[in-house]
Amino acid sequence: MAADGRPYEPPMLTRVLSNATMGGVGFLCRSFLYGLNSMEVHGLDTFLDLLKEREDPRRRERGLITVSNHVSVLDDPGLWGVLPYRLHFNANNHRWSLGSHDICFKNGKSLISGFFSLGNTLPIHRIAHSSHGGLFQPTMTQVIRLLSDPHGQPSRSITGEVSSSHPSFPQDDPFTSSQLTYSTTGTDSFPAPSAYPSNRHAWIHIFPEGRIHQHPQKTIRYFKWGVARLILESEPCPDVVPMWIDGFQDVMDGRRGWPKPIPRPGKQIGVWFGERVDHEAVFGGFRKRWRLLVERTARQKTADENHEGTSTSSELGVINNDELRYSKEAEQLRIEVTAAVRNEVLKIRRRTGLPDEDPKSSLAATWREEGNNLEGEKQDGSLVQDQ
């Protein structure tokens, strides 16, 4: 039990089922990858050292984001299968990920939805499929809080004063409030993993492209802005580890015929783990600009702050203020942070021996002009798929 009376971790049955789900999927994926394919993994020892530092949740100092390209539906469970067996059943090093609500959770409280929930998958709405999608949906709040310590003390502003923008998580009685669950639509209900102190400073894996992209030259699409919110708003700045994966596009080629659900064995698969990014050198300036923007917006509050769109939220991971959501300054900041993250992934791509991409590949406008925002096979031989 946490000091404020809330449960420190999820119920034992939930933890047992989650460990079994994560362990079972990891075991099957690792058996397939190493038993039926040729695996090449780089930088794993350094990454395992980082995970070892994080084994005790009480001693974690910051969250962890791993970010990679996205080439098949097997990417997420496949990456779990790359890790050693001993980590498959270690709840303290379980990874959280995002899954499309319309695919993984469309049937409500079905066995499939329960499977993904127990597998530490959070439902994300995609704008193309749901009016509940977007950068500020409730699941983004959960991810920011998982990367932070919402049960700790308020963060401090750049002047050293306690900041009203990121205070501690609301201290209501968790058994008489909705803190142990949250809703993505206003009518559904999902477990709120950030409600438990044991999940503080968690590990999140994301695919910022937002879609599967199989390209003959192994280029990557532009990154979406969600990753920028995680880096700018989580407290403190998370560790970021870029990755590169190759070969899963052959195991689960989007053009494969019957039996389509079955992964194809006998492929050459490569996974590259990068080093931990120097968060202060790469992201420190961006976070300072964000704090300045938040503090300036807070000072500009007027007596009319209850008017819709003008109030400044004081909850970690929640932005209700239009200036912080849609101003040119806020959007430009997210563009720059996203570009910086994408550049870290490109550094790992370069290590594999691939030539540098055309710089235009990082721009959303490039993909819109070429029609690559649409799902399907393109004239350049690439394939874009929803997750």
Side-chain angles (χ1 to χ4, degrees), residues 273-313:
F273 291 87
E275 292 81 21
R276 179 170 20 186
V277 174
D278 185 335
H279 55 81
E280 183 58 35
V282 177
F283 305 119
F286 298 129
R287 284 173 58 86
K288 181 177 180 180
R289 286 165 54 192
W290 174 254
R291 292 197 298 271
L292 284 170
L293 178 59
V294 170
E295 292 171 12
R296 186 174 72 243
T297 303
R299 289 195 299 267
Q300 292 172 348
K301 289 172 60 179
T302 66
D304 193 30
E305 68 176 355
N306 290 325
H307 185 275
E308 183 179 357
T310 64
S311 63
T312 302
S313 170

Side-chain angles (χ1 to χ4, degrees), residues 28-187:
L28 290 174
C29 287
R30 186 171 177 84
S31 299
F32 171 78
L33 292 177
Y34 284 89
L36 300 177
N37 297 275
S38 177
M39 283 294 300
E40 180 182 351
V41 182
H42 303 266
L44 180 59
D45 289 342
T46 300
F47 185 68
L48 292 179
D49 288 341
L50 174 58
L51 293 185
K52 188 174 182 179
E53 294 176 13
R54 299 171 43 81
E55 285 184 351
D56 184 351
R58 291 178 173 84
R59 299 179 62 185
R60 292 179 192 156
E61 296 181 352
R62 60 185 70 243
L64 170 64
I65 300 174
T66 47
V67 52
S68 69
N69 57 319
H70 196 15
V71 296
S72 83
V73 296
L74 191 64
D75 292 351
D76 196 46
L79 289 177
W80 186 249
V82 170
L83 300 177
Y85 286 128
R86 62 183 174 80
L87 291 179
H88 294 173
F89 300 92
N90 184 345
N92 288 336
N93 272 323
H94 278 179
R95 181 186 77 235
W96 296 85
S97 57
L98 302 175
S100 302
H101 187 282
D102 57 291
I103 296 176
C104 302
F105 301 93
K106 64 180 180 179
N107 294 322
K109 296 184 177 180
S110 65
L111 288 176
I112 294 178
S113 297
F115 170 80
F116 282 105
S117 288
L118 291 171
N120 287 5
T121 303
L122 301 176
I124 199 81
H125 289 271
R126 298 176 294 170
I127 292 179
H129 299 270
S130 172
S131 61
H132 300 286
L135 194 59
F136 306 103
Q137 58 184 291
T139 293
M140 291 298 295
T141 301
Q142 284 295 310
V143 176
I144 291 169
R145 290 175 176 174
L146 278 170
L147 287 167
S148 308
D149 182 4
H151 315 278
Q153 297 300 314
S155 63
R156 294 186 176 273
S157 70
I158 60 174
T159 62
E161 297 178 352
V162 174
S163 171
S164 62
S165 61
H166 298 302
S168 58
F169 195 72
Q171 298 296 310
D172 302 334
D173 178 356
F175 297 101
T176 59
S177 72
S178 60
Q179 287 188 40
L180 297 182
T181 62
Y182 77 103
S183 177
T184 69
T185 64
T187 57

Side-chain angles (χ1 to χ4, degrees), residues 239-251:
D239 284 325
V240 177
V241 174
M243 300 175 58
W244 184 261
I245 56 178
D246 185 28
F248 287 143
Q249 71 271 23
D250 300 321
V251 175

